[in-house]
Amino acid sequence: MRPPNVIVILADDLGYGDLGCYGSTHVRTPNLDRMAAEGARFTDFYASANVCTPSRAGLLTGRYAIRSGLAHEVIQPADTTGLPPDAWTIPKALKPDYATALIGKWHLGHVAPHWPPTVQGFDRFHGLAYSHDMRPLKLYEADEGGLTEHEGKVDFARLTQDFFEQAGAFAEANRDRPFFVLLALTAPHIPLVPNPDDPTDSPGGVYGDVVEEIDLGVGRLLARLKALGLDDDTLVVFTSDNGPWFEGSSGPFRERKGGSAWDGGFRVPFIARLPGRIPAGQVSPALASNLDILPTVLALAGRTPPADLELDGVDLSALLTTGEGDGHEEILLFDNNQVGGLRTARWKLVARSYYRRFDIPLDALPLLFDMQADPGETYSVAARHPEVLADMRDRLARARAKYEPMAGLFPSHVAPASAADHPD
């Protein structure tokens, strides 16, 4: 059997509640809703960070970003840090059999040796070095021939359209061999500029227009795969790098992007579709993370990670294809280089929060939430469940002892003073 093609569509700052299949009442997403109905949808899926750079590092490597020195804030235009060149990434793991492309936003280092993305196993790159509200901003191309820069200003209004078209063209050009595409959109990150070629007049305003254009792009991409005869051979995944920022919905969950350990910054949509292998209509409450994309893709491709490489992600392939198996026993929620909270199937311990630029430790309160009864994290039940609190505190202490010392293994990445107000 031919290994599946893989397209991972990564939205930027899309909230859990911004899709119809996740409860949106303001934004219309019929194509993504249909994709979920034809595949699997996870209800308890977490980004590996609540801001951009560390979340993307986690997705590409299957390891928390603190292992790569990228857990602190996000990379700014003046920074020289990035994903280490020797990192083991999805495209590297799929070589040499797969053709690989990154279409869209990189934001994992724009100075050598971290740049361009072809150093991380991508055969082709078409996109931006970082977020489209940062300057200077250029559209780049990279392949085996080197890096080139497009002339003129970046056309914000047509970025989503361009990125979907480029992803479809790459699939078509490589239809006779397995391919992997990370389609890393810039939408709906600000600035929000609707595409005049795809007017939707969304009830969700301009933000809704931008999300509905993403939905149109998903529909067109799936139709193109079907026309190419690739529909049954292609795993398509849709998720977001973190929760919403100034607009958008975090659904029933507390806080938003950058909000320390609260679920609204981490809990994101996750939809996976692979006709014939992922049964239609699955809705899974398993704890899962974007860290799991790497081991899951490798398993579906018949690959295994190096024996000496410790991953933080788990293989979800059995859960996706049979509905059996488990996700994570626990999910860690990082506040920069500190473990700010911890989630198990039922319980959530929140140990850090932000308030008006203050990073506040909360260990002494304490804040223990029953996520089955109170997913909005509104009422601590620590006094009612001392044995659970003790277990969660032990888990937190073990996680801190394991991961937090890793921050000292890399050169310091210090974001500018404004980064607290501008977390990508």
Side-chain angles (χ1 to χ4, degrees):
M1 180 186 297
R2 166 176 162 164
N5 311 311
V6 180
I7 300 176
V8 177
I9 306 170
L10 182 65
D12 194 346
D13 291 2
L14 179 81
Y16 184 96
D18 285 331
L19 307 183
C21 55
Y22 282 91
S24 175
T25 57
H26 289 77
V27 183
R28 301 163 299 195
T29 56
N31 294 295
L32 284 161
D33 299 346
R34 183 169 61 253
M35 180 178 161
E38 294 173 351
R41 177 174 69 86
F42 279 50
T43 60
D44 292 57
F45 189 88
Y46 287 76
S48 54
N50 58 15
V51 291
C52 172
T53 294
S55 177
R56 289 161 195 267
L59 187 157
L60 269 180
T61 65
R63 290 152 61 92
Y64 287 113
I66 198 165
R67 294 184 186 267
S68 303
L70 294 176
H72 181 77
E73 298 294 347
V74 302
I75 293 174
Q76 299 289 328
D79 292 333
T80 59
T81 52
L83 188 65
D86 62 352
W88 199 72
T89 63
I90 298 173
K92 285 181 181 178
L94 294 174
K95 297 305 249 177
D97 299 330
Y98 277 68
T100 59
L102 170 64
I103 306 297
K105 171 180 164 181
W106 175 234
H107 216 159
L108 288 172
H110 50 275
V111 176
H114 318 289
W115 171 259
T118 48
V119 303
Q120 290 296 350
F122 291 106
D123 297 322
R124 178 158 191 267
F125 167 56
H126 171 92
L128 308 179
Y130 36 63
S131 297
H132 66 301
D133 63 339
M134 294 181 172
R135 301 292 182 275
L137 192 70
K138 293 289 184 179
L139 186 66
Y140 294 95
E141 302 272 353
D143 55 24
E144 61 183 8
L147 179 71
T148 59
E149 181 182 301
H150 284 246
E151 296 183 0
K153 294 182 179 179
V154 176
D155 185 356
F156 291 166
R158 292 177 174 82
L159 275 178
T160 297
Q161 179 182 23
D162 174 45
F163 292 159
F164 270 105
E165 172 58 32
Q166 292 287 336
F170 187 83
E172 184 166 355
N174 293 279
R175 60 189 297 180
D176 295 327
R177 62 178 296 196
F179 58 80
F180 168 75
V181 178
L182 176 56
L183 175 51
L185 305 174
T186 54
H189 191 294
I190 60 171
L192 299 168
V193 186
N195 186 351
D197 300 338
D198 273 327
T200 64
D201 193 26
S202 172
V206 172
Y207 181 93
D209 288 338
V210 171
V211 176
E212 290 183 13
E213 185 191 358
I214 294 174
D215 184 74
L216 289 171
V218 169
R220 290 166 183 160
L221 180 60
L222 292 176
R224 188 169 186 174
L225 293 173
K226 189 170 185 178
L228 292 169
L230 298 174
D231 192 49
D232 291 345
D233 296 320
T234 306
L235 169 67
V236 181
V237 167
F238 183 89
T239 188
S240 179
D241 65 343
N242 46 246
W245 197 2
F246 295 110
E247 294 187 66
S249 169
S250 51
F253 308 120
R254 184 167 175 174
E255 297 293 346
R256 308 173 77 76
K257 169 185 177 176
S260 197
W262 306 106
D263 256 34
F266 288 89
R267 190 95 73 102
V268 291
F270 178 82
I271 301 169
R273 178 184 183 273
L274 179 56
R277 297 194 64 182
I278 296 179
Q282 286 193 71
V283 179
S284 175
L287 277 186
S289 163
N290 71 3
L291 300 169
D292 307 333
I293 292 175
L294 181 148
T296 302
V297 166
L298 262 60
L300 291 171
R303 306 292 184 91
T304 56
D308 60 348
L309 182 71
E310 183 182 30
L311 296 179
D312 298 310
V314 300
D315 173 14
L316 302 176
S317 60
L319 196 58
L320 287 169
T321 57
T322 68
E324 300 177 358
D326 301 311
H328 288 259
E329 180 184 351
E330 63 184 32
I331 294 280
L332 305 182
L333 305 172
F334 277 82
D335 173 20
N336 288 328
N337 286 317
Q338 297 172 302
V339 182
L342 184 144
R343 167 83 199 273
T344 64
R346 180 176 177 182
W347 305 103
K348 171 87 177 284
L349 182 66
V350 175
R352 301 195 76 83
S353 188
Y354 288 127
Y355 179 73
R356 292 187 175 183
R357 299 192 182 187
F358 291 100
D359 185 9
I360 306 169
L362 300 173
D363 300 76
L365 282 182
L367 294 177
L368 176 71
F369 302 101
D370 183 339
M371 298 300 285
Q372 294 178 4
D374 178 24
E377 302 172 88
T378 48
Y379 304 104
S380 175
V381 292
R384 301 284 191 272
H385 300 279
E387 72 292 345
V388 174
L389 177 62
D391 174 65
M392 294 294 279
R393 281 179 156 170
D394 285 346
R395 290 172 181 266
L396 185 69
R398 289 194 296 270
R400 285 173 167 171
K402 176 177 180 177
Y403 288 99
E404 291 183 5
M406 296 179 186
L409 301 178
F410 295 88
S412 174
H413 165 52
V414 180
S418 61
D421 297 325
H422 184 264
D424 173 12

